[in-house]
Amino acid sequence: NKLSPNSLSVATSYNNIGLIYDSKGELNKALDYYNMSLEIRNKLSPNSLSVATSYNNIGLIYDSKGELNKALEYHNMSLEIRNKLSPNSLSVATSYNNIGLIYDSKGELNKAL
């Protein structure tokens, strides 16, 4: 039994490898693996919570790299999906928190609220 290279299990594995590189501070490698995971997830289940998770993780990497506008873009994409599929959930609250932190980092405190 061989896994298809475009299976959700492979996407999850890429995401997990990205998490490890992220925790090691190897942000570019983490971003590569998160993007590979996102590509598969978008093909197999576009606009799903797993795609929202990929967008969130990519947003966190861009935030860590100081690329705040790109981080905001990805967190907003994550929030849009999460609001549609799971409103009033912890994941929606997490997206709002991440967006608020980025606005805080940008010095746009009124938007951070």
Side-chain angles (χ1 to χ4, degrees), residues 13-86:
S13 294
Y14 285 152
N15 184 74
N16 291 341
I17 293 168
L19 288 168
I20 292 167
Y21 279 122
D22 185 8
S23 69
K24 292 174 62 177
E26 296 184 42
L27 302 180
N28 291 328
K29 285 184 179 180
L31 187 58
D32 289 342
Y33 279 94
Y34 287 149
N35 277 315
M36 288 189 289
S37 177
L38 175 61
E39 184 178 335
I40 295 169
R41 288 172 168 176
N42 260 330
K43 283 180 188 172
L44 298 179
S45 57
N47 297 314
S48 65
L49 289 175
S50 64
V51 169
T53 297
S54 288
Y55 286 146
N56 180 75
N57 291 345
I58 292 168
L60 291 171
I61 293 295
Y62 281 123
D63 185 17
S64 294
K65 292 176 71 164
E67 297 181 41
L68 301 181
N69 290 331
K70 277 194 128 170
L72 194 56
E73 176 186 339
Y74 279 92
H75 284 302
N76 278 317
M77 289 189 293
S78 178
L79 175 62
E80 183 179 337
I81 294 170
R82 288 171 167 176
N83 260 330
K84 284 180 187 173
L85 299 180
S86 187

